[in-house]
């Protein structure tokens, strides 16, 4: 009788192959993002990883291929599998974003995200002031009210409402590229708020800045909406600089 070598010894027989692959890929991805496996360094051999995870070669190889497609690793004959430099990582890949939860945030990534927001969101606010429907305005208002209602001691609630506010404006721009960024950068924004919101000197000022953006969009003032969004993101930028200075002083 033949034996199915694709069934790992350490995995329950009822687990589908996709579950095993995702489990392995997720754990390896988190190790890479957290620096457990160093950039430009070699991963353990396939045999070592299979033994550690209790899986067969098939799901391990599939996981390695998917990590390579996300730019995290590169495999070459005789050179083995090595971690890529972070500049090659697809930071906006949904899986990569998800794996960033619960690990220390890369300050360079947060800085890059803020710079991207400075380029994109003022333009989105301008378009939203020109194109937003009554339903769009209602969604922005609901998100803003959720921000106002969230207790300042609950950073998770504040961040969730903040993300919803910015996502609503991206959608209200009715630009398919901006709208498409919602699913990609929503979690990234939440991760950045773990740094910027936690050190905000005046949450009331932050709320007022969000309210000013919404009011300009509601009143159909494109240029004012753009400038107010730019000013709002500057608050996040200042918070990040302050956080970095505090971290540098403690190190």
């Amino acid at each position: 009788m033949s034996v199915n070598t694709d069934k790992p010894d350490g995995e329950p027989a009822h687990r589908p192959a996709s579950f095993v692959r995702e489990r392995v890929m997720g754990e390896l991805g988190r190790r890479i993002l957290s620096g457990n496996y160093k950039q430009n360094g070699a991963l353990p051999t396939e045999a070592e990883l299979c033994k550690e995870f209790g899986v067969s070669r098939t799901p391990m190889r599939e996981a390695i291929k998917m990590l390579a497609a996300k730019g995290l690793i590169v495999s070459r004959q005789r050179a083995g599998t090595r971690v890529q430099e972070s500049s090659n990582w697809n930071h906006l890949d949904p899986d990569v974003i998800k794996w960033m939860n619960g690990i220390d945030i890369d300050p360079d990534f947060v800085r890059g995200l803020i710079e991207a927001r400075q380029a994109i969101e003022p333009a989105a606010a301008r378009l939203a002031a020109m194109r937003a429907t009554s339903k769009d305005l209602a969604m922005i208002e609901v998100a803003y009210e959720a921000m106002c209602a969230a207790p300042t001691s609950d950073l998770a609630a504040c961040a969730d409402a903040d993300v919803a506010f910015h996502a609503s404006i991206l959608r209200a721009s009715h630009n398919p590229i901006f709208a498409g960024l919602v699913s990609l950068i929503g979690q990234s924004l939440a991760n950045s708020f773990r740094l910027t919101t936690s050190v905000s000197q005046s949450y009331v000022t932050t709320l007022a800045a969000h309210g000013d953006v919404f009011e300009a969009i509601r009143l159909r003032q494109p240029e004012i909406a753009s400038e107010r969004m730019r000013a709002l993101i500057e608050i996040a930028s200042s918070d990040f600089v302050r956080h970095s200075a505090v971290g540098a002083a403690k190190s």
Side-chain angles (χ1 to χ4, degrees):
M1 185 174 67
S2 63
V3 178
N4 183 359
T5 59
D6 285 344
K7 281 197 178 294
D9 295 335
E11 201 71 47
H14 65 276
R15 293 294 195 192
S18 59
F19 177 91
V20 178
R21 181 190 65 233
E22 294 293 324
R23 177 178 70 83
V24 172
M25 180 177 67
E27 178 58 28
L28 291 177
R30 281 185 286 270
R31 291 181 185 182
I32 292 168
L33 294 175
S34 66
N36 208 336
Y37 294 144
K38 303 298 183 183
Q39 295 178 37
N40 295 314
L43 288 185
T45 66
E46 179 183 280
E48 290 170 334
L49 289 173
C50 287
K51 182 178 180 180
E52 177 185 355
F53 283 88
V55 301
S56 66
R57 289 176 296 177
T58 297
M60 182 60 66
R61 288 177 178 176
E62 290 175 351
I64 292 296
K65 286 181 181 179
M66 295 178 74
L67 290 171
K70 299 175 189 298
L72 271 64
I73 59 176
V74 60
S75 296
R76 295 191 177 94
Q77 282 189 339
R78 284 184 273 187
T81 301
R82 305 187 74 84
V83 177
Q84 295 258 58
E85 293 185 5
S86 61
S87 59
N88 292 312
W89 301 350
N90 182 359
H91 287 91
L92 295 183
D93 180 274
D95 286 328
V96 174
I97 292 170
K98 179 177 66 177
W99 298 334
M100 290 176 67
N101 277 329
I103 66 175
D104 290 338
I105 300 174
D106 179 2
D108 289 337
F109 174 69
V110 176
R111 184 183 295 108
L113 178 60
I114 291 174
E115 291 172 353
R117 293 180 63 199
Q118 288 170 330
I120 294 168
E121 293 196 69
R126 181 179 182 278
L127 291 176
M130 299 166 62
R131 301 173 178 174
T133 65
S134 57
K135 182 179 179 180
D136 294 329
L137 293 174
M139 294 301 293
I140 299 171
E141 185 173 16
V142 166
Y144 176 62
E145 289 177 348
M147 288 187 66
C148 294
T152 55
S153 59
D154 189 345
L155 292 180
C158 292
D160 287 346
D162 206 338
V163 169
F165 180 87
H166 290 274
S168 296
I169 292 175
L170 287 170
R171 293 191 183 98
S173 73
H174 289 274
N175 177 297
I177 305 302
F178 290 166
L181 292 173
V182 170
S183 60
L184 290 176
I185 72 172
Q187 188 59 51
S188 297
L189 287 170
N191 284 335
S192 73
F193 293 148
R194 286 165 53 193
L195 286 180
T196 57
T197 303
S198 63
V199 295
S200 177
Q201 295 298 300
S202 176
Y203 190 69
V204 173
T205 300
T206 304
L207 286 176
H210 283 81
D212 289 343
V213 172
F214 171 56
E215 187 70 1
I217 292 174
R218 187 181 67 82
L219 295 177
R220 307 295 182 184
Q221 299 172 321
E223 300 309 323
I224 294 176
S226 178
E227 286 305 313
R228 288 180 176 176
M229 179 62 83
R230 197 180 313 278
L232 172 57
I233 298 174
E234 276 301 315
I235 297 174
S237 180
S238 297
D239 280 350
F240 173 73
V241 170
R242 189 179 301 111
H243 171 89
S244 299
V246 171
K250 290 181 178 179
S251 62

